[in-house]
Amino acid sequence: MTIYFYKVWQPYGCFSNFSLHSIQIQGTYWPTVEHYYQAQKFVGSVDSVIIPIIHAAETPEEAAALGRCRTRQLRPDWEIVKTKVMREAVLKKFLTHLEIKEILLSTGNETLVENSPNDYFWGCGAENTGENHLGKILMSVRQEIRQSRVFTVISGESKLE
């Protein structure tokens, strides 16, 4: 069975980057993964002055709108690093919030799909023709967390728990 997610109020809404689950990366607190991701587009660019504005956005929707503005110049390596940036933030989110980590793990080996009709990169797009990179990242994070639990049980370590 494939598990579809999209809006935060729908089942599995915690998988959305707009869910209100904060993260802390490199000593900086971010209200949501969406805030962090949108801000990272401008690190080192001439438009990096937008980063604190994105950081302070009241909602993830506002952060997304600020980050998607086509008049700003993205960092030169953005297309190369964007999936790595997203994966780091998603992993941090699920390691930080135990209740949603358990929800992610409860999906077993099911395929996870961001059911966004408009996003063909992160989501499945219309008619399931998108690349579903967010779903793939979530499945990868799920596997990493699962493996870290096995390591914890075997070795008695508790680094990621």
Side-chain angles (χ1 to χ4, degrees):
M1 175 181 96
T2 299
I3 295 173
Y4 291 91
F5 65 94
Y6 186 44
K7 299 292 186 182
V8 295
W9 61 85
Q10 295 172 333
Y12 299 101
C14 62
F15 296 170
S16 167
N17 294 330
F18 287 66
S19 72
L20 299 178
H21 293 94
S22 61
I23 58 172
Q24 186 168 337
I25 295 183
Q26 297 169 357
T28 302
Y29 165 89
W30 296 90
T32 67
V33 168
E34 191 66 19
H35 282 80
Y36 174 76
Y37 176 79
Q38 294 299 336
Q40 296 312 295
K41 292 178 174 182
F42 303 101
V43 170
S45 81
V46 296
D47 285 318
S48 63
V49 295
I50 193 68
I51 294 172
I53 298 167
I54 293 171
H55 185 267
E58 291 202 19
T59 66
E61 291 81 6
E62 182 183 336
L66 289 165
R68 292 176 182 153
C69 177
R70 300 275 185 222
T71 62
R72 293 189 185 93
Q73 186 174 335
L74 302 179
R75 61 193 274 183
D77 64 346
W78 183 242
E79 287 304 313
I80 297 165
V81 301
K82 69 182 181 181
T83 54
K84 180 181 178 286
V85 166
M86 180 68 80
R87 189 180 192 289
E88 176 188 21
V90 169
L91 177 62
K92 182 60 104 171
K93 173 179 156 178
F94 285 93
L95 291 177
T96 300
H97 301 280
L98 300 180
E99 71 283 3
I100 64 171
K101 177 170 84 170
E102 294 307 319
I103 293 170
L104 180 62
L105 291 172
S106 77
T107 62
N109 292 319
E110 301 297 341
T111 301
L112 305 177
V113 176
E114 185 187 29
N115 197 20
S116 171
N118 303 315
D119 193 330
Y120 289 82
F121 184 81
W122 295 112
C124 67
E127 293 124 24
N128 268 342
T129 57
E131 297 178 46
N132 188 39
H133 284 285
L134 182 55
K136 291 173 183 175
I137 285 172
L138 284 161
M139 291 182 284
S140 169
V141 163
R142 177 180 66 193
Q143 184 61 29
E144 182 174 337
I145 292 171
R146 192 180 291 142
Q147 288 173 337
S148 75
R149 282 186 161 191
V150 169
F151 173 77
T152 300
V153 169
I154 292 171
S155 69
E157 297 279 328
S158 60
K159 292 181 181 176
L160 290 177
E161 291 280 82

